Amino acid sequence: MPRFAALFAAVPLLAAMPAFAQIPADRLSADVKTLASDAFGGRAPGTPGEAKTIDWLVAQFKAAGLEPGGPGGSWTQPVPLIRTMLGAGAVTANGTPLIARRDVYLSTVRPDARAIVTDAPLVFVGYGVSAPERQWDDFKGVDLKGKVAVFLVNDPDFEAGPGDDAAGRFGDRRMTYYGRWTYKFEEAARRGAVAALIVHDTAGAGYGWATVTAPGGENYDVAAPAAPRVALQGWIEGAAATRLFADAGLDLAQLRKAARRSDFRPVALRGKGLSADLPVAVTRAESRNVIARLTGRSRPDETVIYGAHWDAYGEGTPDAAGRRIRPGANDDALGTAGVLAIARAAARAPRPPRTQVFALWTGEERGLLGSETYAAAPLYPAAKTVANLTLDILQTAGPARDVLLVGAGQNDLEERLAAAAKAQGRTVTPEALPERGLFYRADHFSLARRGVPTLLLMAISGAPDLVDGGRAAGQRWLDGYMRCYHQTCDAWSADWNLAGAAADVDLLRRIGFDLADGTAWPQWNAASEFKAIRAATAAQREGN
């Protein structure tokens, strides 16, 4: 990013990080301690923990002096969901049993009493990418109706090297949307497959097998999806996949290499195919986004949205200590606490011309379902939404010399981030792990897809450069946190040092306040896939 070089250049760190009075670290900690307590049950949508969470969040907004921002003057937006829980049963591939959660992890989002697949042929489809704009098609017209699509995770150029014609076509190691598991399941369903399996590897997925199995067979979807769904979807563990392919007379390692070429063609796995007959417990629930606002004094139809997700994973399989609740303290009670902190600061400040909206989404952990429900029929039109500023996981190890930027190169909000960081005596570091596809894994993406310029702060995008211990200490924090990602140990701790988190929250506060008080319309960069979407609504912003 040459044109940002000056903005990202090092500046002297202040001798002592300033205390951000607008964002008190002790209040962040207290809010997380409450939200991540056992009383909230892990904040899963459609559970008693949701009701308690919603009531508490609404009470916080009311106490801060905000207005209800939901439909019809309410504090919440309905998000009708189905919740499925896959029960135990036999799963075989080519006659070989696959052990649930050891060899394979499955779930379903269909509201059927049983998930049944009978001798469905397995077809390896490489990375499963259909991208005409990149001259890439892994499917080559092969009929997948009634079959099981087996995918590699990530993009064709993730492991590409010299001689692989995938090299550079998908951003090198920076994951595109084609690399996400959501895209792969959707593409399998569009092509008539009855099931979809992704071969797991930690590097390509960006997380280990324990994270894959953490939901314990549970899944969610919107109650009335517009697109088809496969009967079963999930992952096959890497070693189990290698054995499965070998039993079919195929070398998975060689097929990985073949899948990095544009002339790759799907390969059928000989044998009996996949069979499963599993009970499904289906419940319906009306989950809710919590939305508050402060109406702008002179241009109320122009909106700045701050967002985080309130949901976590609820209760799951007991850990070694017998603990079942996955409290989601950092992911994303801390981000939620950050939005509440910005809302309180905004309520105390003079009212700016533009409206500020504070959205706490449901269903992020289940596929961005709350933010997607909002974005599909926005309460505040996307064309007049100035920006979305999202918090999702912040570091808890103290002050840092830098702030991590996810999705570098997308839009000019990055310049505002650099300027705000410089005012704190800090720099901006683009994400170190672009292969994780974090830009496509948080709620801001639902609005980005509609053209709204977005900015995401997510601490697991790299190791922070900590004031105490530098990047090596930041890596130790990151490694430790990733062992607790989506697990029971993502819990509040009195040992947290939230000075760095408070500084990050304050960055979004500064950027949001400046946008709400000004007339600027942030722009997507020329190379962004979202620029054309935003440009299509330019006339609605003219003269504003």
Side-chain angles (χ1 to χ4, degrees), residues 120-487:
L122 293 147
V123 181
F124 175 64
V125 295
Y127 291 89
V129 173
S130 176
E133 77 283 2
R134 299 171 193 256
Q135 294 79 52
W136 199 273
D137 175 26
D138 282 329
F139 297 98
K140 304 297 192 298
V142 170
D143 185 7
L144 290 180
K145 291 180 181 177
K147 299 176 183 178
V148 179
V150 183
F151 297 85
L152 297 174
V153 71
N154 219 300
D155 293 310
D157 63 356
F158 174 66
E159 296 179 300
D164 293 325
D165 61 357
R169 292 209 200 189
F170 295 85
D172 297 315
R173 290 181 67 82
R174 184 179 301 281
M175 185 187 287
T176 70
Y177 189 50
Y178 298 113
R180 291 285 293 133
W181 56 264
T182 48
Y183 165 81
K184 296 176 193 292
F185 293 156
E186 290 167 1
E187 192 65 24
R190 280 192 289 268
R191 293 173 182 270
V194 295
L197 291 174
I198 298 173
V199 178
H200 177 263
D201 71 83
T202 298
Y207 39 77
W209 185 247
T211 299
V212 170
T213 62
E218 177 189 65
N219 213 329
Y220 287 76
D221 199 2
V222 293
R229 303 291 193 252
V230 293
L232 282 170
Q233 62 188 45
W235 299 71
I236 182 166
E237 192 271 334
T242 297
R243 294 192 299 271
L244 175 64
F245 276 66
D247 290 345
L250 298 170
D251 185 331
L252 180 55
Q254 289 301 315
L255 287 173
R256 282 182 179 275
K257 294 180 181 178
R260 301 199 289 266
R261 295 190 54 83
S262 58
D263 60 1
F264 167 83
R265 295 188 63 84
V267 178
L269 279 69
R270 70 187 185 208
K272 296 180 180 179
L274 184 78
S275 292
D277 186 350
L278 305 169
V280 184
V282 181
T283 56
R284 296 180 181 271
E286 187 172 276
S287 192
R288 289 176 288 171
N289 295 324
V290 182
I291 304 177
R293 74 173 181 229
L294 290 169
T295 302
R297 70 172 191 269
S298 58
R299 299 194 305 281
D301 59 331
E302 300 174 15
T303 306
V304 176
I305 300 180
Y306 309 85
H309 68 91
W310 61 256
D311 68 305
Y313 269 111
E315 295 190 22
T317 304
D319 63 14
R323 182 173 172 81
R324 300 178 60 93
I325 293 175
R326 294 165 290 186
N330 197 340
D331 184 15
D332 189 30
L334 184 50
T336 297
V339 171
L340 291 174
I342 296 172
R344 294 177 186 124
R348 294 192 300 266
R351 190 66 57 94
R354 288 168 159 168
T355 294
Q356 295 178 89
V357 172
F358 304 87
L360 300 174
W361 312 114
T362 183
E364 189 273 352
E365 301 290 9
R366 279 75 183 182
L368 316 184
L369 299 180
S371 59
E372 181 63 23
T373 295
Y374 171 90
L379 303 174
Y380 305 90
K384 290 290 191 74
T385 299
V386 178
N388 168 256
L389 309 173
T390 291
L391 295 166
D392 195 338
I393 305 180
L394 303 172
Q395 60 90 359
T396 59
R401 296 181 177 88
D402 62 353
V403 59
L404 296 164
L405 169 63
V406 179
Q410 282 284 357
N411 60 58
D412 60 24
L413 286 171
E414 298 167 19
E415 298 181 36
R416 292 175 179 269
L417 179 65
K422 186 174 183 179
Q424 291 184 349
R426 304 167 69 197
T427 59
V428 174
T429 300
E431 63 187 310
L433 302 166
E435 63 271 21
R436 289 185 174 177
L438 294 178
F439 188 81
Y440 306 96
R441 288 167 52 184
D443 285 307
H444 73 291
F445 181 59
S446 298
L447 284 93
R449 292 173 67 181
R450 276 76 180 185
V452 176
T454 60
L455 186 63
L456 167 66
L457 296 189
M458 182 181 278
I460 59 173
S461 60
D465 184 10
L466 298 176
V467 171
D468 185 6
R471 212 168 293 283
Q475 188 65 52
R476 289 193 294 272
W477 172 83
L478 179 61
D479 291 343
Y481 176 72
M482 290 308 295
R483 288 192 288 272
C484 289
Y485 184 52
H486 292 175
Q487 307 298 316

